[in-house]
Amino acid sequence: VKDLESKLTAQQRTMQNASDKAANWQTRLSEARAEVKNLEKQITNINPHLDAFAAKMDAWSANLGKTGKTMQSVGKALTGYITTPVMALGGFALKASIEFEDAFACVRKTVDATEEEYKQLEQAVKDMSFEMPSNTSEISEVMATAGQLGIYTENLRDYSKTMIDLGESTDIVANEAAKTIAQFFNITGTGQDKVRNFGSALVDLGNNFATTESAIMNMASRLAGAGAQIGLTDAQILGFATGLTSVGIEAEAGGSAFSKVMTQMQVAVETNNAALADFARVSGMSSEQFVQAWKQGPADAIQAFIVGLSQMDEEGISAIVTLQEMGLTEI
């Protein structure tokens, strides 16, 4: 009986425990159901917010697409207005650099200088291109011409600058001026450091007389040989060239004729030949006076002869006939 009671008691305990567990699970189930209902309520409440958020996302996405297209357009515009010009500028700079190297190569061919002197000349050309309305190619061409015709390396910068100035302020092309004046200097022996003074004098004469700088320089080049031979200064040669061209005498014929007169005067003075008396008579002097005047300054003697010719015409004596009688028939 006791064993049976013990078993019954044990079974009762087991059943009680099962009942407690069932009650516990029931409680948890109820709580879970309550949480589900609460979650459903929250979902119901959040749905409108999700819909609004989705609408905003759609709008933002559309705006983002528009922004992307705008940025793409801006990018294209930047490429057109900034990138392309910058690339073009870079290409232009490269092209200019190549052109400069090509242009300066002619300077290296005609100028005998050290590498350091070449660098200085290169910098001088670049500096002048910023200071003057000429590009590096034009300046290099002038410098190369000057070097070819004997202008010393140390004088090339000032010489080239003066030629460029003449090209801008007169009717002489810069490179032609460089050639003509260098040849004139070579003939007369003028110091190359006098090039600025020479250029200024040439411009002043062109500005104040009825002639041009190119006409004066062409005539001066024709007179340079004979003028230097008889002892005329550069200023006197330029003066006679200005006077001759101011009355319309052409350099080719007039320069040769006037040179012939000057050399024949010198020969007459040095040899005391028969022509001396004729030069003296036209000049209004005795032979001795003409020789003395020539030795004091050939320019004054030549001027006296020209004035004498003009006075003969005024007195009714033909200057042309007088020249023919002196053997100056083509003059």
Side-chain angles (χ1 to χ4, degrees), residues 206-221:
N207 288 341
N208 290 283
F209 291 87
T211 184
T212 63
E213 292 84 0
S214 62
I216 295 172
M217 200 60 237
N218 287 337
M219 180 66 80
S221 296

Side-chain angles (χ1 to χ4, degrees), residues 258 261 265 278 281-284 302-315 317-323 326 328 331:
F258 201 78
V261 171
M265 281 184 180
D278 291 329
R281 175 173 54 83
V282 173
S283 302
I302 296 170
Q303 184 174 338
F305 178 75
I306 295 171
V307 171
L309 284 175
S310 67
Q311 290 175 342
M312 291 176 69
D313 271 335
E314 292 171 2
E315 295 171 0
I317 303 172
S318 173
I320 294 177
V321 172
T322 301
L323 290 173
M326 294 174 64
L328 305 175
I331 298 174

Side-chain angles (χ1 to χ4, degrees), residues 40-241:
E40 289 175 348
K41 182 177 180 181
Q42 290 181 5
I43 290 173
T44 301
N45 292 333
I46 203 172
N47 275 337
H49 297 286
L50 289 174
D51 293 339
F53 179 73
K56 288 182 179 180
M57 285 296 291
D58 290 340
W60 183 77
S61 177
N63 290 333
L64 185 61
K66 293 179 181 178
T67 301
K69 292 180 180 178
T70 301
M71 290 301 293
Q72 187 177 13
S73 299
V74 171
K76 290 180 180 178
L78 288 175
T79 299
Y81 289 105
I82 298 178
T83 307
T84 301
V86 168
M87 291 177 66
L89 184 61
F92 176 78
L94 179 60
K95 181 174 181 291
S97 177
I98 294 173
E99 289 178 349
F100 172 73
E101 292 299 328
D102 290 342
F104 195 78
C106 65
V107 176
R108 287 180 174 270
K109 291 179 182 178
T110 62
V111 177
D112 184 15
T114 65
E115 194 58 38
E116 180 61 29
E117 288 172 330
Y118 283 135
K119 290 181 180 179
Q120 292 174 358
L121 291 176
E122 283 183 350
Q123 190 59 49
V125 171
K126 293 175 182 177
D127 291 342
M128 280 190 279
S129 70
F130 287 106
E131 299 167 0
M132 313 174 75
S134 296
N135 59 42
T136 55
S137 296
E138 294 168 338
I139 298 171
S140 295
E141 183 181 4
V142 170
M143 187 175 286
T145 299
Q148 185 177 19
L149 293 170
I151 302 301
Y152 302 137
T153 303
E154 61 269 24
N155 296 324
L156 280 174
R157 186 187 187 284
D158 282 349
Y159 189 89
S160 300
K161 186 176 187 303
T162 301
M163 297 306 109
I164 296 296
D165 282 336
L166 285 174
E168 294 300 326
S169 59
T170 71
D171 67 328
I172 304 177
V173 177
N175 197 46
E176 185 62 29
K179 177 182 178 181
T180 305
I181 294 176
Q183 290 173 335
F184 181 90
F185 280 9
N186 289 337
I187 294 171
T188 61
T190 305
Q192 296 176 2
D193 58 334
K194 300 295 191 295
V195 64
R196 290 191 182 184
N197 294 341
F198 188 91
S200 297
L202 182 59
V203 172
D204 190 62
L205 291 170
N207 288 341
N208 290 283
F209 291 87
T211 184
T212 63
E213 292 84 0
S214 62
I216 295 172
M217 200 60 237
N218 287 337
M219 180 66 80
S221 296
R222 295 278 180 174
L223 301 179
Q229 179 182 333
I230 68 174
L232 295 182
T233 66
D234 288 357
Q236 289 168 339
I237 294 173
L238 284 177
F240 281 123

Side-chain angles (χ1 to χ4, degrees), residues 27-45:
T27 301
R28 290 187 178 183
L29 180 60
S30 298
E31 290 175 353
R33 287 175 177 172
E35 288 181 2
V36 168
K37 289 181 179 180
N38 185 47
L39 181 59
E40 289 175 348
K41 182 177 180 181
Q42 290 181 5
I43 290 173
T44 301
N45 292 333

